[in-house]
Amino acid sequence: MSLFASRYLPEPARDSRFVCWPGPEQRGRVGVLVVNLGTPDEPTAPAIRRYLREFLSDPRVIEIPRLVWWPILNGPILMARPRKLAVRYKSIWLAEGSPLMVYTRRQAEGVGKLLSQRGHDVEVAAAMRYGEPSIRSAMLKLRDQGCEHILVVPLYPQYAASTTATVVDEVARVAGTLRNQPALRFIKRFQDDPSFIDPLAAHIRQFWDLSGRPQKLVMSFHGLPRQVVDQGDPYCRDCYETARALARALGLGEADYLVTFQSRFGPAKWLEPYTQPTLEKLARSGTTEIDVVCPGFLADCLETLEEISQECQHAFVAAGGRKFRYIPALNDNPGWIEGLTTLVERHLQGWPTRRV
């Protein structure tokens, strides 16, 4: 067998039941692939270890030479960290499963329903970059539904090489194994798009209507090593564009809000100011009431429900703060589902989505 033929062995084996795929009645359909970061299948050490091994093996995520990183990852990190994280994951786990998975699926389902109501014949699937359902399994599912056009929607408003770019990498890798490749489009970022900012602002205003306004709003974004930003990653810029757009939508002045960065990992310098130390400093300087929102997270997860809502709240109160409130992520908020659908619809223009 030739080297050329052997490259495509998975495809003929998988599609041997088809004489010609796809059939005339299926060909040319459009799919939307909604992708989030990933999550363990269950809040147990073995499941967390499997997830972390895949996640932290990605060179887009950990930009350390493999020879240096591999012993660290397979030594102290994968040996000890999963047991500690299991307790934290259990504290935020929902009856339906991981919050990140639950809300990502609801978002995908909501977009599918709204697109159908708007007259589009489009298949929508949810995937995780790390864990299940994998990007490969979701792409093959869309392929089996006749989708020869796929719009990929990474659920990251702000672009970073370690998030959006690695989704693009994996989609391209999977496409590279297919004989009949789909036409692909990607939404790169939507950090200040009204379809994102307006629902987020409305969500915050609704929270304040019920609970009152704080002395200060803290916008906490996931951190990133300072080095990768210095090398040209636009993530930090995108975060501040989100913050400014959200502040304008809420009518906030510069003194009314702060931008911070959370989830620092390892000894390297990351984007500053760091969230927890900033909250402690605010409490010590006399700010007694704050709200924290995480505009980079579209679905609640460990980093929001445990790190912010639990750990940071404890730190703020211990430093002298009185009232700390975490404003939940957009999750399955109807306004956000509508905004996401509008964003998707805009990027589908020119493809054959309309019912005949």
Side-chain angles (χ1 to χ4, degrees), residues 34-63:
V34 176
V35 185
N36 217 325
L37 182 75
T39 176
D41 297 324
E42 55 187 13
T44 63
I48 295 168
R49 186 172 294 109
R50 289 192 300 271
Y51 165 69
L52 287 180
R53 178 176 287 111
E54 182 182 8
F55 174 43
L56 296 178
S57 296
D58 189 337
R60 287 278 198 183
V61 174
I62 303 296
E63 297 187 22

Side-chain angles (χ1 to χ4, degrees), residues 150-229:
I150 297 178
L151 171 66
V152 182
V153 188
L155 289 176
Y156 313 116
Q158 303 83 25
Y159 173 92
S162 56
T163 53
T164 308
T166 192
V167 171
V168 176
D169 290 345
E170 180 64 8
V171 169
R173 188 195 67 79
V174 173
T177 68
L178 304 179
R179 185 176 296 276
N180 183 12
Q181 293 180 326
L184 294 170
R185 289 180 184 172
F186 300 86
I187 296 181
K188 182 176 181 179
R189 56 159 62 85
F190 46 96
Q191 77 283 7
D192 57 358
D193 194 293
S195 61
F196 163 57
I197 294 296
D198 291 349
L200 181 56
H203 175 61
I204 295 171
R205 282 194 295 268
Q206 184 178 34
F207 185 90
W208 285 346
D209 287 343
L210 295 173
S211 305
R213 288 196 174 220
Q215 291 173 280
K216 196 173 291 288
L217 176 66
V218 175
M219 302 182 193
S220 180
F221 295 85
H222 198 288
L224 204 65
R226 183 75 238 183
Q227 181 181 3
V228 304
V229 175

Side-chain angles (χ1 to χ4, degrees), residues 325-347:
R325 298 177 304 188
Y326 166 65
I327 301 175
L330 283 166
N331 294 327
D332 54 357
N333 179 287
W336 164 234
I337 300 298
E338 184 172 355
L340 180 57
T341 304
T342 297
L343 184 70
V344 166
E345 191 174 35
R346 188 190 317 149
H347 284 80

Side-chain angles (χ1 to χ4, degrees), residues 1 17 42 49 63 66 84 122 137 159 174 184 239 245 278 292 304 313 315 318 320 325 328:
M1 181 177 291
R17 66 188 186 278
E42 55 187 13
R49 186 172 294 109
E63 297 187 22
R66 186 180 177 88
K84 296 177 181 178
V122 174
S137 66
Y159 173 92
V174 173
L184 294 170
C239 290
T278 300
V292 180
T304 63
Q313 177 174 200
R325 298 177 304 188

